[in-house]
Amino acid sequence: MTLLLPLGILYLISTIKSEITFGTCPQACSCSDTRKVPVLVDCDDNAFEEIPINDIPANVQILIMSNNNIRNLTRRSFLGIQFLEKIDLHGNEISWMDAETFSGLPELKSVNLNNNKLVELRSAPFRRRMSVNADLVLDDNPLFCDQDLVEMVDKLSTGPNKYTLRGVVCSAPADFKGRSLLDVRNDVTVWIEPWQAGVLFGSIALALSFIALVTWMSYYIIHHKRKELQGDTTSEFNHSNVQTINEIGRQYALALGSQDSLEAGPANTSQNNLDQSIESINDGRYTISEQPNRQNSVPSDDLQGFDV
């Protein structure tokens, strides 16, 4: 166990060294004497697709990689060449740079990215530690001038590792084409991509539909509940009226029956009068028009005490 730890450390060191191997001069490039300063490596117009980091001398100060076919810059592109002061990358196809691409270059003073394919700028690739201020040249890039670009330029132009940006010229939108960002920065707006606009309008439409549905459901529930309450009130009122009318009818019929019994009428006269009176009242006739087996009307004195 005690032997495994030193062996692991040795393996890690050997791995790091294999990642940072340096040469004297890349093939097809011209290089100055590495014993004299500044150390120059010139690889202009050689169809390189990436930085030949393993062939560049570690003490290089000026690196010229212009007019090649480099599309991307990674954290490994300048790994280990910490004395680098100037990088010329104009005339390539660079459209993307990884975060902290230039982080290991504390002495960096100039980066030329003129005539590449950069549409946007991000601050992450340009973060550096213990560095001096540097010039950043961006002429002839298809930069899209929007609020994000304004914010990135401001961010890169301030802070401890600030850059002096040159050649920030708009290629789009059409209204700003060919104009400096400094001239139009107060006119730019937040740009929304077509798919973002679709998502935005779709979300708005969905929200409006939901609000309409909730409103309709609320109206329906309130309206339906109101009708139920009105129906219950009417039903209770009608039932109460029927009970009251029936009670009046019974009292009135009983009064008629009592008068019949006094006149010694047939034995079933009271019952007949009761049935006929209730039937007439239930039919909506509040006065009895016919009284079978009666010759005289009931005296009004007999109805005292009954509220008809």
Side-chain angles (χ1 to χ4, degrees):
M1 183 66 182
T2 55
L3 294 175
L4 291 178
L5 183 59
L7 290 175
I9 294 174
L10 290 174
Y11 174 77
L12 181 60
I13 293 173
S14 64
T15 303
I16 295 174
K17 286 185 176 180
S18 65
E19 285 288 329
I20 316 175
T21 56
F22 302 102
T24 55
C25 190
Q27 188 176 1
C29 299
S30 60
C31 302
S32 65
D33 190 343
T34 57
R35 293 170 298 178
K36 298 179 181 180
V37 294
V39 178
L40 170 67
V41 175
D42 187 352
C43 297
D44 177 66
D45 196 14
N46 276 294
F48 282 106
E49 295 184 356
E50 61 181 10
I51 306 295
I53 188 64
N54 291 332
D55 298 324
I56 296 175
N59 60 343
V60 62
Q61 293 172 293
I62 301 173
L63 176 61
I64 300 174
M65 296 294 304
S66 55
N67 299 310
N68 284 284
N69 299 324
I70 301 171
R71 297 178 180 273
N72 302 306
L73 295 177
T74 69
R75 295 186 63 180
R76 191 178 181 279
S77 296
F78 307 106
L79 185 65
I81 49 178
Q82 58 184 347
F83 301 106
L84 191 61
E85 297 180 4
K86 180 179 179 179
I87 306 172
D88 188 350
L89 292 162
H90 84 267
N92 280 278
E93 303 291 326
I94 299 171
S95 61
W96 177 260
M97 294 178 286
D98 285 349
E100 300 185 355
T101 294
F102 304 102
S103 64
L105 306 175
E107 302 298 325
L108 187 63
K109 298 177 181 178
S110 175
V111 180
N112 187 353
L113 290 168
N114 178 35
N115 192 22
N116 277 278
K117 303 297 182 183
L118 294 171
V119 176
E120 62 178 2
L121 285 182
R122 298 179 304 114
S123 62
F126 299 97
R127 286 198 294 261
R128 295 173 295 147
R129 295 182 293 272
M130 300 174 61
S131 59
V132 297
N133 296 340
D135 290 335
L136 177 59
V137 182
L138 294 166
D139 295 275
D140 298 322
N141 279 278
L143 293 171
F144 191 96
C145 290
D146 59 0
Q147 189 63 37
D148 290 340
L149 183 61
V150 172
E151 292 175 1
M152 285 300 101
V153 168
D154 290 344
K155 192 170 184 178
L156 290 171
S157 301
T158 58
N161 300 323
K162 71 178 183 179
Y163 290 81
T164 301
L165 280 77
R166 307 182 189 280
V168 185
V169 178
C170 306
S171 292
D175 294 343
F176 300 151
K177 186 174 183 179
R179 300 175 62 185
S180 170
L181 180 65
L182 294 176
D183 296 335
V184 301
R185 60 174 296 141
N186 295 327
D187 300 324
V188 299
T189 56
V190 177
W191 180 259
I192 300 178
E193 296 290 340
W195 68 270
Q196 293 174 322
V199 172
L200 177 61
F201 289 126
S203 300
I204 293 174
L206 184 62
L208 292 176
S209 300
F210 178 75
I211 292 173
L213 179 62
V214 171
T215 303
W216 180 84
M217 291 180 65
S218 300
Y219 170 78
Y220 176 80
I221 292 172
I222 294 172
H223 182 70
H224 186 68
K225 191 66 177 176
R226 184 179 298 171
K227 289 183 67 177
E228 286 184 350
L229 292 174
Q230 290 176 348
D232 292 343
T233 303
T234 303
S235 176
E236 291 176 0
F237 176 76
N238 291 338
H239 181 68
S240 177
N241 285 347
V242 170
Q243 288 181 333
T244 302
I245 293 171
N246 285 340
E247 184 63 27
I248 293 172
R250 287 189 183 94
Q251 294 178 8
Y252 182 54
L254 288 173
L256 293 178
S258 298
Q259 183 66 25
D260 286 341
S261 63
L262 292 174
E263 295 178 359
N268 62 347
T269 300
S270 297
Q271 183 63 38
N272 291 337
N273 289 337
L274 176 61
D275 294 339
Q276 186 174 359
S277 300
I278 293 174
E279 182 180 356
S280 298
I281 292 171
N282 287 337
D283 290 339
R285 299 191 299 273
Y286 296 97
T287 60
I288 300 176
S289 59
E290 295 182 2
Q291 297 293 337
N293 300 322
R294 286 197 45 84
Q295 299 297 328
N296 301 314
S297 60
V298 178
S300 58
D301 293 341
D302 294 337
L303 299 179
Q304 290 182 359
F306 298 96
D307 186 9
V308 181

